[in-house]
Each structure stands twice: as structure tokens, then as C-alpha cells.
Amino acid sequence: YILSPATTALNRLPAPENGQAAFTVRLASQPGEAIRVTLVLAGGAVAGTTLSTSTLDFTTGNWSSPQSVTITVPDDGDSTFETYKVDLSATGWNGAAPIALTGAYLGVAPGSVFVRNIDDDIPGITLTQIIPSGAATVDGTSVVTEGSTGDRYQVRLNTAPGVGNYV
């Protein structure tokens, strides 16, 4: 296979959270028979991540034409840059069912596209002053004198904490 862009475990295809990324696949040489390439998301993808197709069909006529695959990544509510891959494998194809590969594609090792989600969530804490009973508004300041009831605040995390993080 020829994958574009070429990726490695250290040089991954960036896929924006709440967005899409694309890559293309074509064969490196003309096959002796039709080839079906199967694509599978492998480990670590955000739940709901999808591929635009799970198969690509190549023939002796279209083997050199790149075929596009789009990865769609949903919003996941954390601030983790997930990494995963799309595994590719090939079988011969008679138009209705898989058949054994022959010729140059017999024994060709499967390929992978390595992906890294670019997260759109920014970790942080939001503090909101709570309006005291009987007050019309809050002024956003905190001046507490000795013996007073003080101010009250609500604390909210902007994103879900990662594993092993505590607040």
C-alpha cells in the first residue's frame, strides 16, 4: 500500500476533536486480481470515532488511483490527546466474496495509519460567586470581614480530570 500522508507511531496524522482528518490509500503496483483493503480502528480511539468506509476496492484499472478515507472524531469532554491507529489488510476480491491473494500481493504485510486526536478542551477551573440571599446582584469581589458570613462560590472543572488526577 501507499498511504498519504505517510505516518509512524512518532509522526501521527492529526485529527481534530469535533472534526475530521483524511488520508488516501492506493496500491504500489498493478495487482493480478481485484484487491479489497479492509480498514479497522484499533485501540484508543474516542468512542464514536468513525471511518468514512471500512473497505476500499482496487482493480487492475484503478489500482494507482488514490482512494480517500475520512476519520470523523466526536467531542469527548476531556483534554487528552488520544492516539490510535487504523489497521489495513488486504484480500483478493471476486466482486462478491473474498478469495485468496496471488501474485505480488500474496503475503503483503498489513499497513497502519497512526492517528493523534487534537483535543479542543482546555483544562481549568471556573469559579462562580453565588448570590447571597436577599442580594440583588454580586459585584465579583470578595471582601470578608471578621465575624461575617463570608462569600460563597461554586467551583467547576472545565474538563473531566485525567486518570490519577484529583481535585
Side-chain angles (χ1 to χ4, degrees):
Y1 317 104
I2 296 178
L3 304 170
S4 180
T7 64
T8 67
L10 297 176
N11 182 28
R12 293 176 178 267
L13 174 68
E17 187 174 275
N18 238 358
Q20 297 180 325
F23 63 92
T24 62
V25 180
R26 71 178 181 88
L27 300 183
S29 62
Q30 185 172 3
E33 68 274 324
I35 302 282
R36 172 162 277 186
V37 175
T38 301
L39 301 99
V40 177
L41 283 171
V46 171
T49 299
T50 60
L51 299 174
S52 58
T53 186
S54 60
T55 60
L56 302 171
D57 292 326
F58 292 95
T59 66
T60 56
N62 76 350
W63 66 273
S64 64
S65 298
Q67 295 188 37
S68 292
V69 178
T70 301
I71 302 169
T72 301
V73 182
D75 187 21
D76 65 357
D78 66 25
S79 59
T80 303
F81 285 69
E82 294 86 4
T83 59
Y84 53 97
K85 61 185 179 167
V86 179
D87 287 334
L88 291 79
S89 61
T91 59
W93 187 251
N94 70 8
I99 59 173
L101 285 171
T102 60
Y105 283 89
L106 180 64
V108 169
S112 295
V113 174
F114 294 87
V115 184
R116 180 174 191 231
N117 285 358
I118 306 303
D119 208 289
D120 65 354
D121 298 303
I122 300 171
I125 297 173
T126 300
L127 295 173
T128 305
Q129 189 175 20
I130 297 172
I131 300 173
S133 62
T137 63
V138 294
D139 62 7
T141 63
S142 286
V143 177
V144 179
T145 58
E146 188 173 337
S148 70
T149 59
D151 279 349
R152 294 180 52 214
Y153 287 85
Q154 178 183 47
V155 179
R156 183 180 64 82
L157 298 177
N158 294 344
T159 61
V163 174
N165 294 322
Y166 302 95
V167 178

